[in-house]
Amino acid sequence: MDTLPMEVVEVIALHLTARDLAACCSTNHAWRDMFGQDIIWKHHCNRAVAECLATAESRVEPKFVLPENKDVANSLSPLGKWRLAYLREQLLWSHWINGKKLMETLAINDPHKQKLIPSEDGLCEFVTNDYLITSCEKQVMLWNISSSPVYVSDPFRLLLPGRVTFYSSIDNNKIVIVQKTVVQIYHYGSPMKPNWTLEQSFLFDRATPVQFSETQEMETFPLTFSCLVIENYFVGILSSGEIHVWNLQSGTKLKKVLCPGINNDKIIKVVNSRNPKKDFVITVRRNNMYHFYVFSLASLEFYPFNTSHDLQRFPSCVIQNGLLATCLKNSFKVFDYHSSQLILVVPSDYSVGLLTIDDYFLLITRSTIHVFHTITRAFESVLMPLLNPLESIHSFNDIACSKFLITGHYSGEIGWEIDLKSIPIKITHLRKLVYQFYFNCAINKACTKLAEIVWDEHVNIISLW
């Protein structure tokens, strides 16, 4: 083994779990150096988490302690960057699972700034891992939450009072905010500036970029159903079925498209693909049926493909890597929407719904999660370790941190840890996961901070690192 080229060791390591690698590193000095290489451990780390934890202060007990050997004469070579990143990440997930946290409340000692708490329609969103914005009516407040929360400034004012219908970050130093059909793009800079610049504002349902200002009189706006920001594209979808596509870089409108066959029908759902990012699916209710159409921003057209099912259940669908999965009452179907080919049917006694994580579809039933890889098309069924039949799954929340799932049962909610890198795939019952309410909170990209609007009108910042 000691004589194998590193390229061969890397191939072998791809088939080993992190626990297997740790065991290899414990065998002897040569194996420790061989299996402790950064290129091997990087595969087991989340890059966004690793970059944040490398510089973030460890404040939650037990804190991260850098491993060191005080026996200099017999000391081993230091741990590599990515093995250290893996150790930090495992401590973070341990805090999630075991409820280890530090909770603080946003506060400011200024009698002139009483409207601290975002309303139900306001903003409470992470701009970066360490900065948060909140809003109430037109007032927006910026907070530095890298340590104990500190009020920074009022970086800008919203153009309209009340509801913010959409929020997204773009280009690493800009945000997009939508109120009714008014699109606002603010530049916050890097490093973060206390005062942000309004770079663009336009009404997305108009043919040309009509500027909108805070002093402009209110007018009647068409009803907005959904918005998407995909790379430099903005997509505004009206409840009437109109799809308006803009190029945010040039500030120009690219196209207005009407959803196929729309005629006083109702758009029910919009789901975007993570890969390719420029595809998304629109679900329409028509003639006692749910119809699924896939739109491509690359061509600015709908694919010829469409499928439908009856009103047995509310439509659940996911889209990834050129595939669309739909959930019927007693089965799941997976289509290649480029070729309109049905490639998989999974029967079920009762289908709960669908989720996507990385390159996988999760097809969820009462007691089993079927895992389908959208690139290799490998299929695996994982029987959930439920304690009794009364705990069969009837609902679920989205997956947090690409790792944790909360399922609903008649006896309450249950937390699960999903490990897609293990062979076979592992889904572990977590008795101590008490963060189910966090799935309705804002979570930063590194999964180290959460912002929770509490019913008694304050905002909690929950640190897990």
Side-chain angles (χ1 to χ4, degrees):
M1 188 71 177
D2 297 349
T3 61
L4 289 177
M6 193 60 206
E7 292 81 1
V8 177
V9 176
E10 290 173 25
V11 174
I12 294 172
L14 288 175
H15 299 276
L16 302 179
T17 65
R19 179 171 291 186
D20 294 334
L21 290 175
C24 291
C25 289
S26 302
T27 302
N28 56 45
H29 283 228
W31 279 43
R32 183 182 189 273
D33 291 340
M34 185 165 35
F35 286 99
Q37 295 287 327
D38 268 350
I39 196 169
I40 290 175
W41 284 93
K42 186 176 182 179
H43 173 69
H44 294 272
C45 297
N46 180 309
R47 181 182 294 273
V49 173
E51 289 176 354
C52 176
L53 298 187
T55 56
E57 178 188 2
S58 179
R59 303 169 64 219
V60 177
E61 297 289 349
K63 298 179 180 179
F64 181 76
V65 178
L66 191 68
E68 57 179 307
N69 190 342
K70 296 182 179 179
D71 185 358
V72 178
N74 298 304
S75 63
L76 300 170
S77 56
L79 297 182
K81 168 188 171 182
W82 285 102
R83 191 173 178 191
L84 281 174
Y86 176 81
L87 293 176
R88 291 189 186 96
E89 189 175 329
Q90 294 314 297
L91 180 60
L92 173 66
W93 303 140
S94 174
H95 288 168
W96 270 84
I97 293 168
N98 296 300
K100 303 295 185 180
K101 63 182 184 292
L102 182 63
M103 185 176 294
E104 298 162 292
T105 302
L106 296 186
I108 184 171
N109 297 320
D110 187 342
H112 300 292
K113 296 186 180 295
Q114 295 301 318
K115 293 183 178 181
L116 301 179
I117 310 306
S119 63
E120 183 180 349
D121 295 334
L123 285 166
C124 183
E125 300 284 354
F126 285 94
V127 181
T128 67
N129 284 321
D130 294 328
Y131 284 90
L132 178 85
I133 54 173
T134 61
S135 74
C136 184
E137 292 299 319
K138 289 187 176 183
Q139 182 184 10
V140 178
M141 302 183 74
L142 175 66
W143 305 83
N144 183 337
I145 56 168
S146 56
S147 185
S148 294
V150 176
Y151 163 73
V152 178
S153 66
D154 292 2
F156 62 94
R157 283 177 60 83
L158 295 173
L159 298 183
L160 296 173
R163 181 172 175 76
V164 174
T165 56
F166 179 77
Y167 168 89
S168 180
S169 297
I170 57 171
D171 293 342
N172 296 322
N173 56 12
K174 297 180 185 179
I175 63 167
V176 177
I177 291 174
V178 181
Q179 295 178 279
K180 301 184 184 296
T181 61
V182 181
V183 179
Q184 306 154 58
I185 302 177
Y186 291 93
H187 181 267
Y188 58 78
S190 180
M192 187 78 65
K193 297 183 296 185
N195 298 302
W196 301 358
T197 305
L198 177 62
E199 289 200 340
Q200 292 186 59
S201 66
F202 58 88
L203 296 152
F204 75 72
D205 59 318
R206 303 293 178 87
T208 56
V210 178
Q211 295 294 314
F212 190 93
S213 68
E214 186 178 356
T215 58
Q216 189 168 336
E217 293 184 5
M218 294 293 293
E219 57 180 283
T220 301
F221 294 89
L223 187 60
T224 299
F225 180 81
S226 182
C227 298
L228 300 171
V229 168
I230 301 172
E231 296 179 349
N232 283 315
Y233 294 93
F234 172 84
V235 182
I237 303 171
L238 299 181
S239 297
S240 63
E242 291 181 5
I243 302 166
H244 299 264
V245 184
W246 290 75
N247 184 316
L248 294 179
Q249 194 167 26
S250 63
T252 57
K253 188 165 191 174
L254 300 178
K255 198 168 187 179
K256 170 186 169 182
V257 185
L258 193 62
C259 195
I262 203 84
N263 183 20
N264 296 322
D265 302 318
K266 186 176 183 182
I267 292 182
I268 300 296
K269 199 170 189 178
V270 178
V271 179
N272 62 307
S273 170
R274 296 178 186 174
N275 187 32
K277 293 181 180 180
K278 293 181 180 179
D279 290 352
F280 60 90
V281 59
I282 295 181
T283 307
V284 175
R285 178 174 176 171
R286 181 190 316 125
N287 299 330
N288 295 320
M289 299 284 286
Y290 290 122
H291 302 264
F292 302 85
Y293 302 97
V294 181
F295 187 83
S296 169
L297 284 173
S299 64
L300 298 178
E301 300 283 352
F302 281 94
Y303 287 93
F305 163 86
N306 74 83
T307 187
S308 59
H309 67 65
D310 58 27
L311 302 182
Q312 296 175 3
R313 56 170 301 123
F314 191 80
S316 180
C317 64
V318 286
I319 178 173
Q320 192 82 296
N321 292 317
L323 303 180
L324 170 71
T326 62
C327 176
L328 288 74
K329 183 177 181 180
N330 299 113
S331 68
F332 301 94
K333 292 183 178 181
V334 180
F335 300 87
D336 182 328
Y337 57 81
H338 293 279
S339 64
S340 298
Q341 180 184 5
L342 176 63
I343 64 171
L344 179 69
V345 178
V346 183
S348 166
D349 60 341
Y350 182 82
S351 305
V352 179
L354 292 155
L355 286 172
T356 183
I357 171 174
D358 297 335
D359 290 315
Y360 294 85
F361 288 159
L362 303 187
L363 321 176
I364 303 173
T365 74
R366 289 185 191 273
S367 59
T368 303
I369 295 184
H370 304 287
V371 183
F372 179 78
H373 197 286
T374 57
I375 298 177
T376 66
R377 303 196 178 181
F379 183 80
E380 186 175 339
S381 297
V382 182
L383 183 65
M384 305 295 279
L386 300 170
L387 298 180
N388 61 67
L390 294 178
E391 288 194 337
S392 62
I393 302 169
H394 64 71
S395 63
F396 58 85
N397 285 295
D398 201 357
I399 296 174
C401 304
S402 297
K403 193 172 186 71
F404 300 112
L405 170 68
I406 296 293
T407 54
H409 307 255
Y410 293 112
S411 59
E413 293 185 314
I414 295 177
W416 307 89
E417 181 180 11
I418 300 174
D419 184 359
L420 297 172
K421 293 181 180 178
S422 65
I423 304 174
I425 290 170
K426 289 174 60 178
I427 301 178
T428 308
H429 187 171
L430 300 175
R431 294 178 181 275
K432 295 183 181 180
L433 185 66
V434 294
Y435 292 134
Q436 53 264 42
F437 58 92
Y438 289 167
F439 285 73
N440 298 318
C441 299
I443 304 176
N444 69 354
K445 187 176 181 180
C447 303
T448 59
K449 303 274 186 179
L450 304 101
E452 174 196 19
I453 304 175
V454 185
W455 65 271
D456 59 351
E457 298 188 343
H458 65 272
V459 176
N460 285 335
I461 302 300
I462 300 150
S463 298
L464 293 132
W465 178 255

